[in-house]
Amino acid sequence: MKKIISLILTAVLTLSLVFAFAGCNKEAEGVTIAIPNDTTNEARALLLLEANGIITLKEGAGITATPRDVESNPHNINFKEVEAAQLPSILQDVDYAIINSNYAIDAGINPVEKSLVIEGSASAYGNILAVKAGNESSPKTLALKAALESQQVADFITATYGGAVVSVVENPTDGYDASVDYDALAGQVITVAASPAPHAEILEIAKEILAAKNVTLDIKEFTDYVQPNNVVDSGDIDANYFQHLPYLEDFNAENGTSIVSVATIHVEPLGLYGGKQTTLDPLK
């Protein structure tokens, strides 16, 4: 009998230790936040967390910051680095994810309504129209630039996205550039690479403006951040509209490409979204 009681007590003690260990591990694991894995957007995500008092970065960490630059991590956050376009699809598998507004919108997630934390309209991250170096003043570039800088486009952005996308064009045009010979450009095709939302949607307004001058805008949609720059650098496509300047500068440095910005059109605030967690309580 004593032997049976001893075995029972041993089993109970063992189970208690197992559950206690599991509880400690769960606490030690903290929460998981998925962030973009490209250099500039990853840093931007970390800076967003720092700005909201969730982490502290090492002094001097800026637009190239990585999780290795996190100095203070009081909530024991585990950072999951994921390709930016895939973040909405894994949101339900992590506690939180920091997602670019274009990918949130494309996934049917309203940044204004669903984000728990969101950036301000930081002009440093304005989305740009970019072309291969040497083509900055070509008639095609100037015509597309003027169309994107139009009042029609600015009004469309405001009416359609309700603050999830913000126009940063200071002096919108009527959609046309006085220096361009539109009669000579008539009948030609301008090709532009873009992500589906909001860029391709915005370009549809520019397409209407150019069509009035008998110029065709051919919008090529891409779902990644690499090919739109490659096809512009190769000359296969005239321009692209999907990225911010810090990303482009980093891309040029890493890939030896020669792509330049010719206009800043809008800002897409980066947001923190709840997955398994629906509030910020675990981060307080």
Side-chain angles (χ1 to χ4, degrees):
M1 185 67 177
K2 288 182 178 180
K3 186 175 181 179
I4 292 173
I5 293 173
S6 178
L7 288 172
I8 292 172
L9 290 173
T10 300
V12 170
L13 179 61
T14 301
L15 287 172
S16 297
L17 290 172
V18 168
F19 286 124
F21 181 74
C24 287
N25 273 354
K26 185 175 182 181
E27 183 178 349
E29 286 174 2
V31 298
T32 298
I33 300 181
I35 59 177
N37 67 358
D38 60 275
T39 303
T40 52
N41 282 309
E42 180 172 63
R44 187 178 168 191
L46 295 172
L47 290 167
L48 176 64
L49 293 175
E50 182 179 50
N52 286 275
I54 297 169
I55 62 170
T56 301
L57 295 171
K58 295 176 183 176
E59 186 176 353
I63 200 60
T64 58
T66 73
R68 292 188 296 276
D69 294 304
V70 175
E71 184 170 70
S72 175
N73 186 4
H75 307 290
N76 200 24
I77 296 167
N78 299 302
F79 294 101
K80 184 179 181 67
E81 297 167 290
V82 178
E83 200 277 318
Q86 301 305 315
L87 286 164
S89 66
I90 67 149
L91 180 58
Q92 72 277 4
D93 300 320
V94 295
D95 293 298
Y96 304 94
I98 296 181
I99 306 174
N100 296 77
S101 282
N102 60 310
Y103 289 127
I105 293 168
D106 196 41
I109 303 170
N110 186 309
V112 174
E113 295 176 359
K114 298 297 184 181
S115 62
L116 301 174
V117 168
I118 196 165
E119 284 179 329
S121 299
S123 59
Y125 302 117
N127 280 218
I128 59 175
L129 175 66
V131 299
K132 187 170 184 177
N135 292 337
E136 299 94 320
S137 298
S138 74
K140 286 185 176 183
T141 297
L142 295 178
L144 178 54
K145 176 177 181 290
L148 279 173
E149 291 183 328
S150 67
Q151 188 64 56
Q152 297 99 304
V153 164
D155 291 344
F156 173 81
I157 290 173
T158 300
T160 304
Y161 302 110
V165 179
V166 181
S167 173
V168 294
V169 176
E170 293 184 0
N171 299 298
T173 71
D174 63 356
Y176 303 107
D177 187 320
S179 70
V180 174
D181 185 347
Y182 285 93
D183 290 334
L185 200 57
Q188 295 189 45
V189 176
I190 302 172
T191 53
V192 57
S195 60
H199 305 84
E201 297 169 350
I202 294 170
L203 283 165
E204 288 292 338
I205 307 303
K207 185 174 183 175
E208 295 175 5
I209 293 169
L210 291 167
K213 296 290 187 180
N214 196 27
V215 178
T216 299
L217 183 63
D218 185 8
I219 304 165
K220 306 288 188 182
E221 292 188 10
F222 291 82
T223 57
D224 71 287
Y225 280 175
V226 177
Q227 289 307 310
N229 277 333
N230 287 340
V231 293
V232 168
D233 190 65
S234 68
D236 293 331
I237 287 183
D238 296 314
N240 66 43
Y241 175 41
F242 77 98
Q243 65 194 321
H244 52 64
L245 187 58
Y247 179 85
L248 174 60
E249 291 174 340
D250 185 69
F251 188 94
N252 280 333
E254 287 190 358
N255 297 278
T257 46
S258 299
I259 306 167
V260 296
S261 170
V262 292
T264 304
I265 308 302
H266 74 266
V267 169
E268 300 167 11
L270 199 67
L272 173 70
Y273 298 84
K276 294 179 181 179
Q277 305 294 336
T278 57
T279 71
L280 291 174
D281 289 346
L283 298 175
K284 293 180 178 177

